[in-house]
Amino acid sequence: MKQLRLKSLPSLREAARRNPNQPVSYRTLDLSPNAFLSSWGEGKRFCIRTYGCQANVRDSEILRSFLLAMNMKETDSFSDADFILFNTCAIRENAENHLYGELGQAKDRYNKKSDVIIAICGCVMQEEVPVKYVLDHFPFVSLIFGTNNITAFYSLLEDCLKNEERLVDVQANSDLVYEGIKDFTGSRQSKVSAFVNIMYGCNKFCTYCIVPYTRGRERSRKEEDIISEVNCLKEQGYKQVTLLGQNVDAYGKDFFDTYAFAHLLEKVAQTGIERIRFTTPYPSDFNPVVFDVMAKYPNVMPALHLPVQSGSNNILKKMNRRYTREEYISLVNELRKRLPNVFLTTDIIVGFPNETDEDFEETLSLVKEIKYDAAFTFIFSPRPGTPAYRMKDETPMDVKHQRFERLKTLIDELSTESAKKFVGNTYKVLFETVSKKDNNRISGYTPEGKLIHVTGDKGLIGQIKTVKVLESHTYSLIGEIIDD
Ligand code: SAH
Ligand code: SF4
Ligand code: F3S
């Protein structure tokens, strides 16, 4: 068996420790592969499996850029891959379990081709226990690196190849913001809509959440770097950017500027790119000045994903969410004053430790009062290392499931009602995908972010057309194009 080398190991405790006010280091990296890596990569194939949120999708795009620059080609299947990478998510237990199932399949490839390189990165690899588990149970995994080590990818791969060893390098934290990533043609998931990181990490430490441990402390990219990326995407023909951060409204707080996110959004709007979205804002940091920018610029889409998590002040407090139900509602009122037709969505966790029937009823009543257009709902999943993991929990699992179903039914009713309001109206739709089953069926999104399917030629992908909505379902609309 290959020898194991631990350059650095993950530590949840250390991850929580870095001082939020520590200055950020900005670095421009030279990310061209050297002759060794280019010649190893020549003609070889890679396969990347990505789980989790947009942050992981963007990280996988960056890693794809590195591999394409090494003259490699991408494949969807393990069966002809020379390099397999799993980019993992730790947000809930079932996200983590996916990995172990897929590793079993990757083993078949290893059994046929023992020089295949199998690598794992992403949030699960920032945790001590899963890394030890992988090392013990999956001896064919030869490279493990963390979310803070992506820019070291070339040197890690080179080490791993040259020394024929199993290499683990996971830094608990980082103060680094890197620039100079070159996007290779085809490295982004879509040719129409692009993710743009504006900040990394999270300082909020909601008691249920693993992200502050896996992604480190908040650090923001500089405004000029973000704007130049957006301009570059615009020149390449991208129609939409989604600005990414775990709590985007904390953007620039490390520059000690409360209005930084509103300023940034305005600057991005002024680039003239057709459509701008952002995710995710945190309610108590959210400055209503952002709503003014949204109202002023038609290229900032009238949609907001504003996670509430619970309608009960008791639970919000235990979650360390830093707002009350009343403050959240008043923020939504402010928003709707400025943007009456905003499409409002949220995230809700059901079954937080010792959530009572009364707490849950308050969540239902908040959802009814706000009348969300859609919502993601989750059953609380205890994440080792987080404070909520250690909280005593007397609520039986079947009670949590019943609550979850009740909430889901309510959200579906509201989504159906919301979708009905679109019928008969016309919307500018940006087309993004072709149906896998029918080449003449294309799909896109209204400015509100509602999915819509129409009959149309795949040549319309990347274009914005006026569409009349004919029919509505809970999660999507059916329409017809009325301009040519
Ligand atoms: N930074 C964003 C999103 C974080 S993860 C935010 O603060 O809103 C996306 C969603 O996953 C969260 O909004 C939350 O609803 C859910 N989530 C996070 N940790 C969870 C856990 N341990 N169990 C269940 N759901 C969780
Ligand atoms: Fe997790 Fe809370 Fe940070 Fe969102 S704000 S990533 S839920 S700790
Ligand atoms: Fe998952 Fe990490 Fe995102 S835990 S949700 S991939 S930040």
Side-chain angles (χ1 to χ4, degrees):
M1 203 206 282
K2 286 179 194 168
Q3 248 200 318
L4 176 64
R5 184 152 62 97
L6 304 171
K7 278 185 83 169
S8 63
L9 269 176
S11 157
L12 291 180
R13 215 171 297 148
E14 203 184 310
R17 214 179 282 144
R18 192 171 78 86
N19 174 358
N21 298 323
Q22 186 180 322
V24 174
S25 336
Y26 290 92
R27 245 175 275 166
T28 304
L29 305 172
D30 176 14
L31 291 167
S32 319
N34 61 20
F36 171 82
L37 288 173
S38 304
S39 94
W40 182 82
E42 187 69 53
K44 289 199 171 67
R45 289 177 187 274
F46 68 88
C47 179
I48 305 182
R49 291 284 153 88
T50 307
Y51 313 91
C53 67
Q54 295 96 332
N56 261 16
V57 172
R58 181 66 195 127
D59 285 349
S60 285
E61 290 176 347
I62 292 169
L63 289 156
R64 189 177 289 124
S65 260
F66 296 164
L67 293 159
L68 290 171
M70 286 166 57
N71 307 318
M72 294 180 79
K73 294 216 159 37
E74 186 160 20
T75 168
D76 285 343
S77 131
F78 294 160
S79 63
D80 61 345
D82 303 280
F83 178 81
I84 298 173
L85 175 65
F86 296 94
N87 192 359
T88 59
C89 170
I91 201 83
R92 283 168 292 273
E93 195 180 356
N94 56 3
E96 233 177 86
N97 290 343
H98 274 307
L99 168 69
Y100 304 122
E102 288 239 74
L103 274 176
Q105 291 173 32
K107 189 179 178 199
D108 295 342
R109 176 65 179 153
Y110 177 79
N111 288 341
K112 292 203 181 86
K113 190 180 188 311
S114 64
D115 62 349
V116 61
I117 300 289
I118 298 177
I120 318 182
C121 65
C123 290
V124 179
M125 295 299 102
Q126 293 291 139
E127 301 175 278
E128 294 114 314
V129 176
V131 168
K132 288 193 183 118
Y133 185 80
V134 168
L135 288 174
D136 289 347
H137 292 83
F138 303 96
F140 52 86
V141 171
S142 37
L143 177 58
I144 288 178
F145 58 99
T147 57
N148 296 318
N149 302 64
I150 285 180
T151 48
F153 176 70
Y154 280 148
S155 71
L156 293 173
L157 181 60
E158 187 172 350
D159 260 19
C160 178
L161 291 169
K162 279 188 174 158
N163 302 320
E164 294 208 352
E165 55 189 9
R166 304 176 81 196
L167 185 60
V168 180
D169 192 5
V170 183
Q171 278 159 24
N173 225 318
S174 171
D175 62 352
L176 184 67
V177 169
Y178 48 82
E179 298 296 340
I181 305 288
K182 291 189 199 76
D183 281 318
F184 273 74
T185 314
S187 68
R188 289 205 188 240
Q189 187 178 261
S190 153
K191 289 189 172 62
V192 180
S193 179
F195 292 129
V196 174
N197 286 317
I198 62 165
M199 59 179 300
Y200 306 97
C202 181
N203 288 354
K204 284 286 181 280
F205 289 97
C206 302
T207 52
Y208 51 82
C209 184
I210 195 73
V211 173
Y213 307 88
T214 64
R215 292 269 165 187
R217 293 295 63 71
E218 282 166 7
R219 49 213 189 272
S220 304
R221 288 178 73 192
K222 286 185 187 157
E223 193 178 275
E224 64 259 34
D225 294 322
I226 297 167
I227 298 301
S228 102
E229 183 172 343
V230 174
N231 278 324
C232 193
L233 288 163
K234 191 179 158 210
E235 270 166 36
Q236 289 169 7
Y238 280 87
K239 293 288 179 348
Q240 175 170 284
V241 291
T242 303
L243 308 179
L244 289 187
Q246 290 302 339
N247 44 337
V248 284
D249 30 2
Y251 171 78
K253 292 263 165 79
D254 34 355
F255 314 145
F256 304 102
D257 180 353
T258 325
Y259 296 107
F261 180 64
H263 288 158
L264 175 73
L265 189 61
E266 179 151 38
K267 288 267 172 62
V268 175
Q270 286 165 352
T271 63
I273 189 133
E274 302 249 12
R275 289 189 169 193
I276 301 152
R277 302 183 189 277
F278 56 86
T279 199
T280 316
Y282 184 91
S284 65
D285 278 352
F286 211 35
N287 196 309
V289 175
V290 176
F291 303 153
D292 295 332
V293 177
M294 292 174 76
K296 182 171 167 196
Y297 291 92
N299 56 347
V300 181
M301 294 298 102
L304 193 70
H305 183 67
L306 193 63
V308 67
Q309 313 300 358
S310 168
S312 148
N313 282 335
N314 168 37
I315 296 293
L316 286 172
K317 203 160 176 210
K318 288 188 187 159
M319 287 176 163
N320 190 30
R321 298 290 287 187
R322 301 162 194 207
Y323 51 87
T324 60
R325 171 193 175 100
E326 294 72 27
E327 284 162 351
Y328 183 92
I329 292 173
S330 104
L331 186 68
V332 169
N333 291 340
E334 280 294 315
L335 168 71
R336 285 184 167 150
K337 240 190 258 161
R338 289 161 167 96
L339 290 136
N341 295 321
V342 70
F343 195 83
L344 185 66
T345 55
T346 197
D347 290 346
I348 299 170
I349 297 178
V350 171
F352 187 80
N354 290 330
E355 178 191 64
T356 61
D357 280 339
E358 291 71 37
D359 291 323
F360 177 66
E361 291 299 331
E362 289 195 33
T363 296
L364 291 180
S365 86
L366 177 106
V367 169
K368 283 183 197 151
E369 181 171 346
I370 301 235
K371 293 197 176 62
Y372 290 104
D373 294 288
F376 295 109
T377 48
F378 310 101
I379 293 184
F380 167 73
S381 170
R383 305 315 296 131
T386 62
Y389 182 76
R390 295 186 299 272
M391 289 179 190
K392 263 228 182 95
D393 190 3
E394 314 265 299
T395 317
M397 210 50 206
D398 61 330
V399 171
K400 295 191 184 195
H401 281 288
Q402 283 161 18
R403 287 181 190 158
F404 180 80
E405 288 308 321
R406 280 182 69 198
L407 178 64
K408 185 98 191 45
T409 305
L410 172 61
I411 300 277
D412 281 353
E413 278 168 23
L414 290 174
S415 300
T416 309
E417 278 309 302
S418 157
K420 277 187 194 156
K421 287 191 227 138
F422 285 78
V423 178
N425 300 330
T426 56
Y427 295 88
K428 294 277 181 199
V429 171
L430 171 59
F431 289 104
E432 299 196 25
T433 50
V434 186
S435 156
K436 282 197 186 108
K437 288 188 216 132
D438 178 356
N439 244 342
N440 286 316
R441 205 171 149 82
I442 57 175
S443 307
Y445 292 90
T446 69
E448 295 74 12
K450 194 79 192 166
L451 176 64
I452 182 159
H453 309 290
V454 305
T455 301
D457 186 81
K458 62 174 190 264
L460 294 176
I461 300 302
Q463 294 190 34
I464 295 175
K465 294 283 166 198
T466 309
V467 171
K468 180 162 187 192
V469 179
L470 305 174
E471 214 181 287
S472 71
H473 300 275
T474 306
Y475 305 112
S476 63
L477 307 170
I478 309 287
E480 66 178 356
I481 299 175
I482 57 169
D483 60 4
D484 43 35

